[in-house]
Amino acid sequence: MGDVKINDVAGSLFCHEYCEVKIKGAVLNTTTTQTGSCFDQTIPVDPTRRAGGHSMQKQKVPEYSLALGEHLWPSEPMDPTQYLRKGDGSRVKAGEFKRPVPRPAPPSAAAFAPRDNPPNSQFRKFYERGDLPVAVEHKGTKNVISWKVDPDKLDYHHYLPIFFDGIREKEEPYRFLAVKGVEDMLKAGKNKILPVIPQLIIPIKTALNTRDPGVMCITLQLLQKLVDSADLVGEALVPYYRQILPILNLFKNKNMNSGDKIDYAQRKKHCLGELIMETLQLFEAKGGDDAFINIKYMVPTYESCINM
């Protein structure tokens, strides 16, 4: 398992953007338009959109024919130039004029495709309204959060779920403020973190249900920091495995196959399969006696990492 105490999740976001986008010229992986200003207000989105939602694909089905009394596949109208001419009997017998019958096929489930992630998080709403005591402090080495109130004096029941709801953001400065805010609050929270665990489950589940690899990697790293932030947090998460682990079971085999090459980017923690395995092992190590059986129930292929 990686050292989750040293890993700076928020700082690595800017490093990746600078190295990959600014230097190498890669395309910025974001679903929203970055304005470059933290004073621009978010355009209201459709209230029916929700994070992790998806629309069902319409599949063609046979239509019932009253004349023939059976189901027939709908077909396209014939081309007016494709009519029978004298001497076409051999072509008719060969089946050249026979229309192909579409073969039914199940629709694609798109289980690994990213789901909708609208910019309507509670963190964005509160930040634009000026209700959060945070601001970005630009330094020479890295950016940090300028807290108007010390993190250990905040009301964790109010602020920590809001910051966790913002970790699914893809646009700056919301993403950096939410991720770095969660890290600072977990570092300073100590005994205040454990009572807030039930309120964090829905934001964590929502971020995982987006099935966006970038959002999931950030969420998994923050989950590791959450488990390691205070005593008994790992055991408090065991009753909520049914909300968290189904998505991890779906993506646990998403590993990077580099063949005979060496992957020098392991420190960037972009491999989803490795992050999921590290998170499950940390859940088992910190979750107490009932952790393994509950993980095994939701992730049947998981094997224990603790020597019996």
Side-chain angles (χ1 to χ4, degrees):
M1 292 180 290
D3 193 347
V4 297
K5 295 182 180 179
I6 301 177
N7 181 31
D8 185 7
V9 182
S12 63
L13 297 177
F14 280 101
C15 294
H16 169 71
E17 181 176 337
Y18 182 80
C19 295
E20 300 295 332
V21 180
K22 302 294 184 181
I23 298 179
K24 298 182 181 179
V27 179
L28 185 63
N29 185 20
T30 179
T31 56
T32 57
T33 303
Q34 292 196 349
T35 60
S37 173
C38 61
F39 299 102
D40 294 338
Q41 298 295 311
T42 304
I43 300 175
V45 298
D46 187 0
T48 59
R49 293 177 58 188
R50 61 181 182 86
H54 67 286
S55 58
M56 298 294 294
Q57 297 181 357
K58 293 184 178 180
Q59 182 75 3
K60 291 185 177 180
V61 295
E63 297 178 357
Y64 183 76
S65 174
L66 295 175
L68 301 177
E70 59 181 353
H71 287 82
L72 299 176
W73 287 94
S75 58
E76 298 294 333
M78 290 290 293
D79 189 352
T81 61
Q82 298 294 328
Y83 53 86
L84 294 179
R85 298 179 178 87
K86 183 178 180 181
D88 285 342
S90 59
R91 298 176 59 190
V92 173
K93 293 180 181 179
E96 294 185 16
F97 293 95
K98 188 176 181 180
R99 300 183 183 181
V101 179
R103 304 185 65 179
S108 176
F112 301 103
R115 300 288 177 84
D116 191 18
N117 186 15
N120 58 354
S121 64
Q122 289 294 320
F123 177 84
R124 180 183 291 248
K125 173 183 175 182
F126 279 89
Y127 178 74
E128 291 181 346
R129 207 165 62 181
D131 292 344
L132 299 180
V134 293
V136 180
E137 182 179 349
H138 301 278
K139 290 191 174 182
T141 55
K142 64 178 181 179
N143 294 339
V144 296
I145 283 187
S146 176
W147 289 92
K148 301 175 184 177
V149 181
D150 292 338
D152 56 346
K153 297 180 180 179
L154 293 174
D155 182 4
Y156 272 58
H157 282 277
H158 176 70
Y159 285 105
L160 191 57
I162 294 176
F163 276 87
F164 259 97
D165 191 51
I167 62 177
R168 64 179 178 88
E169 288 285 351
K170 301 280 289 184
E171 185 180 356
E172 304 295 349
Y174 310 103
R175 180 179 65 173
F176 171 76
L177 286 171
V179 176
K180 190 62 178 176
V182 169
E183 290 184 288
D184 290 351
M185 294 184 71
L186 291 181
K187 185 177 179 180
K190 298 181 180 179
N191 296 332
K192 292 184 177 181
I193 299 175
L194 184 60
V196 196
I197 294 298
Q199 297 175 249
L200 306 181
I201 302 305
I202 292 180
I204 292 174
K205 179 184 177 182
T206 303
L208 293 175
N209 283 342
T210 60
R211 306 192 185 186
D212 188 313
V215 175
M216 292 183 66
C217 289
I218 293 175
T219 306
L220 290 171
Q221 294 178 68
L222 294 180
L223 268 176
Q224 296 178 15
K225 288 180 176 290
L226 175 64
V227 172
D228 206 39
S229 61
D231 297 333
L232 302 178
V233 172
E235 297 181 14
L237 286 174
V238 174
Y240 304 102
Y241 281 173
R242 294 196 176 190
Q243 284 75 32
I244 301 175
L245 298 190
I247 298 297
L248 305 191
N249 182 40
L250 183 64
F251 286 89
K252 70 180 297 291
N253 293 326
K254 286 288 184 179
N255 293 307
M256 183 181 298
N257 184 8
S258 58
D260 59 345
K261 299 180 181 179
I262 299 177
D263 181 21
Y264 293 99
Q266 294 181 1
R267 59 182 177 82
K268 296 181 180 179
K269 294 186 177 295
H270 291 164
C271 183
L272 198 54
E274 293 182 2
L275 272 176
I276 290 176
M277 188 56 61
E278 290 178 4
T279 306
L280 292 177
Q281 291 175 357
L282 191 62
F283 279 177
E284 182 186 2
K286 299 284 187 177
D289 298 336
D290 299 331
F292 173 71
I293 189 63
N294 285 276
I295 295 175
K296 189 72 173 178
Y297 181 77
M298 301 305 301
V299 188
T301 57
Y302 176 76
E303 297 295 338
S304 177
C305 65
I306 299 178
N307 296 327
M308 302 301 292

